[in-house]
């Protein structure tokens, strides 16, 4: 199985900050990586697929980069609505695997 | 606009079988390039993919659940059904149904549309 490791597990930041979340795969997955945002009590929401393709309707302050085994989700200017937990997911092969999540908290 | 609605018992006794249904509305249930998946999330924990079913009928299951899990599709009712046998407390989780979009190799995909999820608690 491909292990997905996210860091940090928790991130404290202020509105307006630039924040980055890292996701590392235990083996190469090309760019078959998705990022999701989840708020408490809600289903995850797809933000980015194929490592860098922003889904329709997702604010442009979100961006994704990386390929192979190292990936980054960046929020250029953190907004109040962005405080949530973020997950990466590889879809290179089965079993599909998610990272452990990164909780973005208000500093 | 595609919508997914999970339904099933909120409480299951240990050793019993869980049956969940995902009802699809606002879009087709069989479409090349897409598939259906179930993902679960234990309380306070992360996401775990557990099963997928393709328009062809092919299925993929997470190995740890082994032969306990079965997926099926009823295209006439636009429903995807999940059965999980021999339930234990470790199976307590929110269960999500989701539609996946396949990658260009049509091997696997990401989840673009999710249901709201249904909490299943295993307790006597």
């Amino acid at each position: 199985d491909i292990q997905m490791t996210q860091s940090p597990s928790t991130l404290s930041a202020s509105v307006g900050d630039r924040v980055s979340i890292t996701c590392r795969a235990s083996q190469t997955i090309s760019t078959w990586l998705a990022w999701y945002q989840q708020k408490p009590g809600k289903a995850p929401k797809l933000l980015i697929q194929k490592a860098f393709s922003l889904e329709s309707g997702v604010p442009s302050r979100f961006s994704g980069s990386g390929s192979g085994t190292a990936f980054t989700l960046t929020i250029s200017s953190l907004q109040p609505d962005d405080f949530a937990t973020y997950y990466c997911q590889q879809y290179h092969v089965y079993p599909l695997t998610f990272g452990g999540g990164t909780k973005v908290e208000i500093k | 606009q595609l919508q997914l609605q999970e339904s099933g018992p909120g409480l299951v006794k240990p050793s019993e079988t869980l049956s969940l249904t995902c009802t699809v509305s606002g879009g087709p249930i069989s479409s090349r390039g897409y598939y259906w998946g179930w993902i679960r999330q234990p309380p306070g924990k992360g996401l775990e993919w557990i099963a997928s079913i393709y328009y062809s009928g092919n299925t993929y299951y997470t190995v740890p659940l082994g032969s306990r899990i079965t997926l099926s599709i009823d295209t006439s009712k636009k429903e995807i059904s999940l059965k999980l046998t021999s339930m234990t407390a470790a199976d307590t989780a929110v269960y999500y149904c989701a539609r996946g979009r396949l990658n260009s190799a049509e091997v696997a995909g990401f989840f673009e549309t999710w249901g709201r999820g249904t909490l299943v608690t295993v307790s006597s």
Side-chain angles (χ1 to χ4, degrees):
Chain A
D1 297 4
I2 297 177
Q3 308 301 319
M4 306 300 293
T5 304
Q6 281 183 240
S7 60
S9 55
T10 305
L11 189 160
S12 296
S14 302
V15 172
D17 284 353
R18 179 183 179 89
V19 302
S20 292
I21 298 168
T22 297
C23 179
R24 291 191 180 275
S26 61
Q27 56 189 272
T28 184
I29 58 170
S30 183
T31 54
W32 303 124
L33 183 101
W35 289 99
Y36 302 87
Q37 176 194 66
Q38 187 179 34
K39 296 181 179 178
K42 301 292 187 183
K45 172 188 173 184
L46 176 67
L47 299 176
I48 288 170
Q49 45 95 1
K50 208 171 184 299
F52 50 80
S53 296
L54 204 65
E55 277 297 279
S56 175
V58 175
S60 59
R61 62 181 180 273
F62 290 92
S63 64
S65 63
S67 66
T69 61
F71 303 86
T72 302
L73 173 69
T74 300
I75 308 173
S76 61
S77 177
L78 201 62
Q79 298 302 300
D81 191 48
D82 301 338
F83 292 97
T85 300
Y86 294 84
Y87 294 94
C88 61
Q89 177 227 331
Q90 68 81 17
Y91 54 100
H92 178 58
V93 290
Y94 279 101
L96 307 178
T97 45
F98 290 87
T102 295
K103 185 175 183 179
V104 177
E105 297 181 330
I106 300 173
K107 192 172 184 179
Chain B
Q1 176 183 353
L2 187 75
Q3 292 189 324
L4 310 179
Q5 178 66 59
E6 303 91 346
S7 59
L11 181 64
V12 176
K13 290 183 168 57
S15 80
E16 288 188 341
T17 296
L18 170 68
S19 293
L20 293 178
T21 299
C22 174
T23 303
V24 178
S25 60
I29 192 167
S30 294
S31 184
R32 182 161 187 162
Y34 295 91
Y35 71 107
W36 303 97
W38 287 90
I39 302 97
R40 69 181 183 180
Q41 185 171 36
K45 296 190 177 182
L47 301 168
E48 177 191 19
W49 167 82
I50 60 173
S52 296
I53 187 165
Y54 286 44
Y55 70 93
S56 61
N58 288 348
T59 53
Y60 294 85
Y61 302 127
T62 184
V63 169
L65 294 183
S67 59
R68 295 177 52 208
I69 190 167
T70 305
L71 277 193
S72 60
I73 282 185
D74 186 330
T75 54
S76 63
K77 294 183 179 179
K78 297 185 75 173
E79 293 179 347
I80 302 105
S81 296
L82 168 72
K83 289 191 188 305
L84 187 58
T85 63
S86 304
M87 294 286 283
T88 73
D91 297 311
T92 293
V94 175
Y95 286 75
Y96 293 102
C97 170
R99 187 175 82 163
R101 197 189 316 167
L102 293 171
N103 63 20
S104 58
E106 296 201 345
V107 171
F110 54 89
F111 296 106
E112 61 173 14
T113 306
W114 296 64
R116 292 186 175 182
T118 186
L119 175 62
V120 176
T121 301
V122 183
S123 175
S124 55

